[in-house]
Coordinates of all heavy atoms in Angstrom, one line a residue:
M2 N 188.2 127.3 79.9 CA 187.9 128.7 80.0 C 186.5 128.8 80.7 O 185.6 128.1 80.2 CB 188.0 129.4 78.7 CG 187.6 130.9 78.8 SD 188.1 131.9 77.4 CE 187.0 131.3 76.1
V3 N 186.3 129.7 81.6 CA 185.1 130.0 82.2 C 184.7 131.4 81.8 O 185.5 132.3 81.8 CB 185.1 130.0 83.8 CG1 183.8 130.3 84.4 CG2 185.6 128.6 84.3
N4 N 183.5 131.5 81.3 CA 183.0 132.8 80.8 C 181.7 133.2 81.5 O 180.8 132.4 81.6 CB 182.8 132.7 79.3 CG 182.7 134.1 78.7 OD1 181.6 134.7 78.7 ND2 183.8 134.6 78.2
V5 N 181.7 134.4 82.0 CA 180.5 135.0 82.7 C 179.8 136.0 81.8 O 180.5 136.9 81.3 CB 181.0 135.6 84.1 CG1 179.7 136.2 84.8 CG2 181.7 134.7 84.9
W6 N 178.6 135.8 81.7 CA 177.8 136.7 80.8 C 176.7 137.3 81.6 O 176.1 136.7 82.5 CB 177.2 136.0 79.6 CG 178.2 135.5 78.6 CD1 178.9 134.4 78.7 CD2 178.7 136.2 77.5 NE1 179.8 134.3 77.6 CE2 179.7 135.4 76.9 CE3 178.4 137.5 76.9 CZ2 180.4 135.8 75.8 CZ3 179.1 137.8 75.8 CH2 180.0 137.0 75.2
E7 N 176.3 138.6 81.3 CA 175.1 139.2 81.9 C 173.9 139.2 81.0 O 172.9 139.7 81.4 CB 175.5 140.6 82.3 CG 175.9 141.5 81.2 CD 176.4 142.9 81.6 OE1 176.0 143.3 82.7 OE2 177.0 143.5 80.8
H8 N 174.0 138.6 79.9 CA 172.9 138.6 78.9 C 172.0 137.4 79.2 O 172.4 136.5 79.9 CB 173.4 138.5 77.5 CG 174.4 139.6 77.1 ND1 173.9 140.9 77.0 CD2 175.7 139.7 76.9 CE1 174.9 141.7 76.7 NE2 176.0 141.0 76.7
V9 N 170.8 137.4 78.6 CA 169.8 136.4 78.8 C 170.3 135.0 78.3 O 170.2 134.0 79.0 CB 168.5 136.8 78.2 CG1 167.5 135.7 78.3 CG2 168.0 138.1 78.8
D10 N 170.8 134.9 77.1 CA 171.2 133.6 76.5 C 172.7 133.5 76.5 O 173.4 133.6 75.5 CB 170.6 133.5 75.1 CG 170.7 132.1 74.6 OD1 171.4 131.3 75.2 OD2 170.0 131.9 73.5
A11 N 173.2 133.1 77.7 CA 174.7 133.1 77.9 C 175.3 132.0 77.0 O 176.4 132.2 76.4 CB 175.0 132.7 79.4
R12 N 174.7 130.9 76.8 CA 175.2 129.8 76.0 C 175.4 130.3 74.6 O 176.4 130.1 73.9 CB 174.4 128.5 76.1 CG 174.9 127.4 75.2 CD 174.2 126.1 75.5 NE 174.1 125.7 76.9 CZ 175.2 125.1 77.5 NH1 176.3 124.9 76.9 NH2 175.1 124.8 78.8
K13 N 174.3 130.9 74.0 CA 174.4 131.4 72.6 C 175.5 132.4 72.5 O 176.2 132.4 71.5 CB 173.0 131.9 72.3 CG 172.9 132.4 70.8 CD 171.5 132.9 70.5 CE 171.4 133.4 69.1 NZ 170.1 134.0 68.8
E14 N 175.6 133.3 73.4 CA 176.6 134.4 73.3 C 178.0 133.8 73.4 O 178.9 134.2 72.6 CB 176.4 135.4 74.5 CG 175.2 136.2 74.4 CD 175.3 137.3 73.4 OE1 176.4 137.7 73.0 OE2 174.2 137.8 73.0
A15 N 178.2 132.8 74.3 CA 179.5 132.2 74.4 C 179.9 131.4 73.1 O 181.0 131.4 72.6 CB 179.6 131.3 75.6
Q16 N 178.9 130.7 72.6 CA 179.1 129.9 71.3 C 179.5 130.8 70.2 O 180.4 130.5 69.4 CB 177.9 129.1 71.0 CG 177.7 127.9 71.9 CD 176.4 127.2 71.7 OE1 175.4 127.7 71.2 NE2 176.3 125.9 72.0
H17 N 178.8 131.9 70.1 CA 179.1 132.9 69.0 C 180.5 133.5 69.2 O 181.2 133.6 68.2 CB 178.0 134.0 69.1 CG 178.3 135.1 68.1 ND1 178.1 134.9 66.7 CD2 178.7 136.4 68.3 CE1 178.4 136.1 66.1 NE2 178.8 137.0 67.0
F18 N 180.9 133.9 70.4 CA 182.2 134.4 70.7 C 183.3 133.4 70.3 O 184.2 133.7 69.6 CB 182.3 134.8 72.2 CG 183.6 135.4 72.5 CD1 183.8 136.8 72.5 CD2 184.7 134.6 73.0 CE1 185.0 137.4 72.8 CE2 185.9 135.2 73.4 CZ 186.0 136.6 73.3
C19 N 183.1 132.1 70.7 CA 184.1 131.1 70.4 C 184.2 130.8 68.9 O 185.2 130.6 68.3 CB 183.7 129.8 71.1 SG 184.0 129.9 72.9
K20 N 183.0 130.9 68.2 CA 183.0 130.6 66.8 C 183.7 131.7 66.0 O 184.6 131.4 65.2 CB 181.6 130.5 66.3 CG 181.5 130.2 64.8 CD 180.0 130.0 64.3 CE 180.0 129.7 62.9 NZ 178.6 129.6 62.4
I21 N 183.4 133.0 66.3 CA 184.0 134.0 65.5 C 185.5 134.3 65.8 O 186.2 134.8 65.0 CB 183.2 135.4 65.6 CG1 183.2 135.9 67.0 CG2 181.8 135.2 65.1 CD1 182.6 137.3 67.2
H22 N 185.9 133.8 66.9 CA 187.3 134.0 67.3 C 188.1 132.6 67.3 O 189.2 132.6 67.8 CB 187.4 134.7 68.7 CG 186.8 136.0 68.6 ND1 187.3 137.1 67.9 CD2 185.7 136.5 69.2 CE1 186.6 138.1 68.1 NE2 185.6 137.8 68.8
N23 N 187.5 131.6 66.8 CA 188.1 130.3 66.6 C 188.7 129.8 68.0 O 189.8 129.3 68.0 CB 189.1 130.3 65.5 CG 189.5 128.9 65.1 OD1 188.7 128.0 65.2 ND2 190.7 128.7 64.7
I24 N 187.9 129.9 69.0 CA 188.3 129.4 70.3 C 187.7 128.0 70.5 O 186.5 127.8 70.4 CB 187.8 130.3 71.5 CG1 188.5 131.7 71.3 CG2 188.1 129.7 72.8 CD1 188.0 132.7 72.2
Q25 N 188.6 127.0 70.7 CA 188.2 125.6 70.8 C 188.5 125.1 72.2 O 189.4 125.6 72.8 CB 188.9 124.8 69.7 CG 188.5 125.3 68.3 CD 189.3 124.5 67.3 OE1 190.0 123.5 67.5 NE2 189.2 125.0 66.0
G26 N 187.7 124.1 72.6 CA 187.9 123.5 73.9 C 186.7 123.8 74.8 O 185.8 124.5 74.4
P27 N 186.8 123.2 76.0 CA 185.6 123.3 76.9 C 185.5 124.8 77.4 O 186.4 125.4 77.7 CB 185.9 122.4 78.0 CG 187.2 121.7 77.7 CD 187.8 122.3 76.5
V28 N 184.2 125.2 77.5 CA 183.9 126.5 78.0 C 182.8 126.3 79.1 O 181.7 125.8 78.7 CB 183.4 127.5 77.0 CG1 183.0 128.8 77.6 CG2 184.5 127.8 75.9
L29 N 183.0 126.7 80.3 CA 182.0 126.6 81.3 C 181.2 127.9 81.3 O 181.8 128.9 81.4 CB 182.7 126.4 82.7 CG 181.8 126.5 83.9 CD1 180.9 125.3 84.0 CD2 182.6 126.6 85.2
I30 N 179.9 127.7 81.3 CA 179.0 128.9 81.3 C 178.6 129.1 82.8 O 178.0 128.3 83.4 CB 177.8 128.7 80.5 CG1 178.1 128.3 79.1 CG2 176.9 130.0 80.5 CD1 178.8 129.3 78.3
D31 N 179.0 130.3 83.3 CA 178.7 130.6 84.7 C 177.7 131.7 84.8 O 177.9 132.8 85.2 CB 180.0 131.1 85.4 CG 179.9 131.2 86.9 OD1 178.9 130.7 87.5 OD2 180.7 131.9 87.5
A32 N 176.5 131.4 84.3 CA 175.4 132.4 84.1 C 175.0 133.0 85.4 O 174.6 134.2 85.4 CB 174.2 131.7 83.4
Q33 N 175.0 132.2 86.5 CA 174.6 132.8 87.8 C 175.8 133.3 88.6 O 175.6 133.7 89.7 CB 173.8 131.7 88.6 CG 172.4 131.5 88.2 CD 172.3 130.7 86.9 OE1 173.1 129.8 86.6 NE2 171.4 131.2 86.0
A34 N 176.9 133.3 88.0 CA 178.2 133.9 88.6 C 178.5 133.1 89.9 O 179.2 133.7 90.8 CB 178.1 135.4 88.8
E35 N 178.2 131.9 90.1 CA 178.5 131.1 91.3 C 180.0 130.8 91.4 O 180.6 131.0 92.4 CB 177.7 129.8 91.3 CG 176.2 130.1 91.5 CD 175.4 128.8 91.3 OE1 176.0 127.7 91.4 OE2 174.2 128.9 91.1
Y36 N 180.6 130.4 90.3 CA 182.0 130.0 90.3 C 182.8 131.3 90.5 O 183.8 131.3 91.3 CB 182.4 129.3 89.0 CG 183.8 128.9 88.9 CD1 184.3 127.8 89.7 CD2 184.7 129.5 88.1 CE1 185.6 127.4 89.7 CE2 186.0 129.1 88.0 CZ 186.5 128.1 88.8 OH 187.8 127.7 88.8
I37 N 182.5 132.3 89.7 CA 183.3 133.5 89.8 C 183.2 134.2 91.1 O 184.2 134.7 91.7 CB 182.9 134.5 88.6 CG1 184.0 135.4 88.2 CG2 181.7 135.3 89.0 CD1 184.9 134.8 87.2
T38 N 182.0 134.1 91.8 CA 181.9 134.6 93.1 C 182.7 133.8 94.1 O 183.4 134.4 95.0 CB 180.4 134.5 93.6 OG1 179.6 135.3 92.6 CG2 180.2 135.1 95.0
S39 N 182.8 132.5 93.9 CA 183.6 131.7 94.8 C 185.1 132.0 94.7 O 185.9 131.8 95.6 CB 183.4 130.2 94.6 OG 184.0 129.8 93.4
L40 N 185.5 132.6 93.6 CA 186.9 133.0 93.4 C 187.1 134.5 93.9 O 188.2 135.0 93.9 CB 187.3 133.0 91.9 CG 187.3 131.6 91.2 CD1 187.6 131.8 89.7 CD2 188.3 130.7 91.9
G41 N 186.0 135.1 94.3 CA 186.1 136.5 94.9 C 186.3 137.5 93.8 O 186.8 138.6 94.0
L42 N 185.8 137.2 92.6 CA 185.9 138.2 91.4 C 184.5 138.8 91.2 O 183.5 138.2 91.4 CB 186.4 137.4 90.2 CG 187.7 136.7 90.4 CD1 188.0 135.9 89.2 CD2 188.8 137.8 90.5
R43 N 184.5 140.0 90.6 CA 183.3 140.7 90.2 C 183.5 141.3 88.9 O 184.6 141.7 88.5 CB 182.9 141.7 91.3 CG 182.5 141.1 92.6 CD 181.9 142.2 93.5 NE 183.1 143.0 94.0 CZ 182.9 144.1 94.6 NH1 181.7 144.6 94.8 NH2 184.0 144.8 95.1
G44 N 182.4 141.5 88.2 CA 182.4 142.2 87.0 C 182.2 141.3 85.8 O 182.7 140.2 85.8
V45 N 181.6 141.8 84.7 CA 181.5 141.1 83.5 C 181.8 142.1 82.3 O 181.5 143.3 82.5 CB 180.1 140.5 83.3 CG1 179.9 139.4 84.3 CG2 179.0 141.5 83.5
P46 N 182.3 141.7 81.2 CA 182.7 140.3 81.0 C 184.0 140.0 81.7 O 184.8 140.9 81.9 CB 182.8 140.2 79.5 CG 183.2 141.6 79.1 CD 182.5 142.5 80.0
I47 N 184.2 138.8 82.1 CA 185.5 138.3 82.6 C 185.7 136.9 82.2 O 184.7 136.1 82.1 CB 185.5 138.5 84.1 CG1 187.0 138.3 84.6 CG2 184.6 137.6 84.8 CD1 187.2 138.7 86.1
N48 N 186.9 136.5 81.9 CA 187.2 135.1 81.5 C 188.2 134.6 82.5 O 189.1 135.4 82.9 CB 187.8 135.1 80.1 CG 186.8 135.4 79.0 OD1 185.8 134.7 79.0 ND2 187.1 136.4 78.2
V49 N 188.0 133.4 82.9 CA 189.0 132.7 83.8 C 189.5 131.5 83.0 O 188.7 130.6 82.6 CB 188.3 132.3 85.1 CG1 189.2 131.6 86.0 CG2 187.6 133.4 85.8
I50 N 190.8 131.4 82.8 CA 191.4 130.3 82.1 C 191.8 129.3 83.2 O 192.6 129.6 84.1 CB 192.7 130.8 81.3 CG1 192.4 132.0 80.5 CG2 193.2 129.6 80.5 CD1 191.4 131.8 79.3
V51 N 191.3 128.1 83.1 CA 191.5 127.0 84.1 C 192.2 125.9 83.4 O 191.8 125.5 82.3 CB 190.2 126.6 84.7 CG1 190.4 125.5 85.8 CG2 189.4 127.8 85.3
N52 N 193.3 125.3 84.0 CA 193.9 124.1 83.3 C 193.1 122.9 83.6 O 192.1 122.9 84.3 CB 195.4 124.0 83.8 CG 195.5 123.5 85.2 OD1 194.6 123.1 85.9 ND2 196.7 123.7 85.7
K53 N 193.5 121.7 83.0 CA 192.7 120.5 83.1 C 192.7 119.9 84.5 O 191.8 119.1 84.8 CB 193.3 119.5 82.1 CG 194.7 119.0 82.4 CD 195.1 118.0 81.3 CE 196.6 117.6 81.5 NZ 197.0 116.8 80.4
K54 N 193.5 120.4 85.4 CA 193.4 120.0 86.8 C 192.5 120.9 87.6 O 192.4 120.7 88.8 CB 194.8 120.0 87.4 CG 195.7 118.9 86.8 CD 197.1 118.9 87.4 CE 198.0 117.9 86.8 NZ 199.3 117.8 87.4
G55 N 191.9 121.9 87.0 CA 191.1 122.9 87.7 C 191.7 124.0 88.3 O 191.1 124.7 89.1
I56 N 193.0 124.2 88.0 CA 193.8 125.3 88.6 C 193.7 126.6 87.7 O 193.9 126.5 86.5 CB 195.2 124.9 88.8 CG1 195.3 123.7 89.8 CG2 196.1 126.1 89.3 CD1 196.7 123.1 89.8
V57 N 193.3 127.7 88.3 CA 193.2 129.0 87.6 C 194.6 129.4 87.1 O 195.5 129.5 87.9 CB 192.6 130.0 88.5 CG1 192.6 131.4 87.8 CG2 191.1 129.6 88.9
Q58 N 194.6 129.7 85.8 CA 195.9 130.1 85.2 C 195.9 131.5 84.8 O 197.0 132.1 84.8 CB 196.1 129.3 83.9 CG 196.2 127.8 84.1 CD 197.5 127.4 84.9 OE1 198.6 127.7 84.5 NE2 197.3 126.8 86.1
A59 N 194.8 132.1 84.6 CA 194.7 133.6 84.2 C 193.3 134.1 84.4 O 192.3 133.3 84.3 CB 195.1 133.8 82.7
V60 N 193.2 135.3 84.8 CA 191.9 136.0 85.0 C 191.8 137.3 84.3 O 192.8 138.0 84.3 CB 191.6 136.2 86.5 CG1 190.4 136.9 86.8 CG2 191.6 134.9 87.3
G61 N 190.7 137.6 83.7 CA 190.5 139.0 83.2 C 190.6 139.2 81.7 O 190.3 140.3 81.2
A62 N 191.1 138.2 80.9 CA 191.2 138.4 79.5 C 189.8 138.6 78.9 O 189.0 137.7 79.0 CB 191.9 137.2 78.8
T63 N 189.5 139.8 78.4 CA 188.1 140.0 78.0 C 187.9 140.2 76.5 O 186.9 139.9 75.9 CB 187.5 141.2 78.7 OG1 188.4 142.4 78.5 CG2 187.3 140.9 80.2
T64 N 188.9 140.8 75.8 CA 188.8 141.0 74.4 C 189.4 139.8 73.7 O 190.2 139.1 74.2 CB 189.6 142.3 73.9 OG1 191.0 142.0 74.1 CG2 189.2 143.5 74.7
P65 N 188.9 139.6 72.4 CA 189.5 138.5 71.7 C 191.0 138.4 71.6 O 191.6 137.4 71.7 CB 188.9 138.6 70.3 CG 187.6 139.4 70.6 CD 187.9 140.3 71.7
D66 N 191.6 139.6 71.4 CA 193.1 139.7 71.4 C 193.7 139.3 72.7 O 194.7 138.6 72.7 CB 193.6 141.1 71.0 CG 193.3 141.3 69.5 OD1 193.1 140.4 68.7 OD2 193.3 142.5 69.1
E67 N 193.1 139.7 73.8 CA 193.6 139.3 75.1 C 193.5 137.8 75.4 O 194.4 137.2 75.9 CB 192.9 140.1 76.2 CG 193.2 141.6 76.3 CD 192.3 142.4 77.2 OE1 191.2 141.9 77.5 OE2 192.8 143.4 77.7
V68 N 192.3 137.3 75.0 CA 192.1 135.8 75.2 C 193.1 135.1 74.4 O 193.8 134.1 74.9 CB 190.7 135.4 74.8 CG1 190.5 133.9 74.8 CG2 189.7 136.0 75.7
R69 N 193.3 135.4 73.1 CA 194.2 134.8 72.2 C 195.7 134.8 72.8 O 196.4 133.9 72.8 CB 194.1 135.3 70.8 CG 194.9 134.6 69.8 CD 194.6 135.1 68.3 NE 193.2 135.0 68.0 CZ 192.4 136.0 67.9 NH1 192.8 137.3 68.2 NH2 191.1 135.8 67.5
A70 N 196.1 136.0 73.2 CA 197.4 136.2 73.7 C 197.7 135.4 75.0 O 198.7 134.8 75.1 CB 197.7 137.7 74.0
T71 N 196.7 135.4 75.9 CA 196.8 134.6 77.1 C 196.9 133.1 76.8 O 197.8 132.4 77.3 CB 195.6 134.9 78.0 OG1 195.6 136.3 78.3 CG2 195.7 134.1 79.3
L72 N 196.0 132.6 75.9 CA 196.1 131.2 75.6 C 197.3 130.8 74.9 O 197.9 129.8 75.2 CB 194.8 130.8 74.7 CG 193.5 130.9 75.5 CD1 192.4 130.6 74.5 CD2 193.4 129.9 76.6
T73 N 197.8 131.7 74.0 CA 199.1 131.4 73.3 C 200.2 131.3 74.3 O 201.0 130.4 74.2 CB 199.3 132.5 72.2 OG1 198.3 132.5 71.3 CG2 200.7 132.3 71.5
K74 N 200.3 132.3 75.2 CA 201.4 132.3 76.2 C 201.3 131.0 77.0 O 202.3 130.4 77.3 CB 201.3 133.5 77.1 CG 202.4 133.6 78.1 CD 202.2 134.8 78.9 CE 203.3 134.9 80.0 NZ 203.2 136.0 80.9
L75 N 200.1 130.6 77.5 CA 200.0 129.4 78.3 C 200.3 128.1 77.6 O 200.7 127.1 78.2 CB 198.6 129.4 78.9 CG 198.3 130.4 80.0 CD1 196.8 130.4 80.3 CD2 199.1 130.3 81.2
L76 N 200.0 128.1 76.3 CA 200.3 126.9 75.5 C 201.7 126.7 75.0 O 202.1 125.6 74.6 CB 199.2 126.8 74.4 CG 197.8 126.6 74.8 CD1 196.9 126.8 73.6 CD2 197.6 125.3 75.5
L77 N 202.4 127.8 75.0 CA 203.8 127.7 74.5 C 204.7 127.0 75.5 O 204.5 127.1 76.7 CB 204.4 129.1 74.3 CG 203.9 129.9 73.1 CD1 204.4 131.3 73.1 CD2 204.2 129.2 71.8
P78 N 205.7 126.2 75.1 CA 206.6 125.6 76.0 C 207.3 126.6 76.8 O 207.7 127.7 76.3 CB 207.6 124.8 75.1 CG 206.9 124.8 73.7 CD 206.0 125.9 73.7
F79 N 207.4 126.3 78.1 CA 208.1 127.2 79.1 C 207.4 128.6 79.3 O 208.1 129.5 79.6 CB 209.6 127.4 78.6 CG 210.3 126.2 78.4 CD1 210.7 125.8 77.1 CD2 210.7 125.3 79.4 CE1 211.3 124.6 76.8 CE2 211.3 124.1 79.2 CZ 211.7 123.8 77.9
G80 N 206.1 128.6 79.0 CA 205.3 129.8 79.3 C 205.7 130.9 78.4 O 205.6 132.1 78.6

């Protein structure tokens, strides 16, 4: 998951979000919005779910419920 933050301490914010919502796995901090800009996306907060091959699987899940639903759908057999 790639997470873009507009706050000063992006790492701390992302760690807090992951902890309180029990999100595990790698999270790329795109504090300068370089990655998100290369994808042609704008706006924060925005999450980009990327598979282990680097292929974008979902964009835009911003609330904890949306993140959880998107990850659950992607992790279930047959989508």
Side-chain angles (χ1 to χ4, degrees):
M2 179 164 68
V3 179
N4 194 278
V5 180
W6 291 88
E7 61 186 340
H8 303 290
V9 175
D10 194 345
R12 181 171 304 283
K13 183 177 177 183
E14 293 284 339
Q16 288 173 334
H17 176 70
F18 183 88
C19 289
K20 181 178 180 181
I21 64 174
H22 299 292
N23 195 29
I24 296 172
Q25 299 176 8
V28 175
L29 171 70
I30 307 296
D31 189 18
Q33 282 73 40
E35 294 172 16
Y36 182 72
I37 208 84
T38 300
S39 74
L40 295 174
L42 302 170
R43 292 188 285 166
V45 289
I47 190 167
N48 291 303
V49 180
I50 312 293
V51 182
N52 70 15
K53 63 184 176 183
K54 293 181 180 180
I56 298 171
V57 174
Q58 299 294 300
V60 175
T63 55
T64 69
D66 288 339
E67 289 172 335
V68 172
R69 190 174 297 106
T71 299
L72 292 174
T73 298
K74 181 179 177 184
L75 291 171
L76 294 173
L77 288 175
F79 309 108

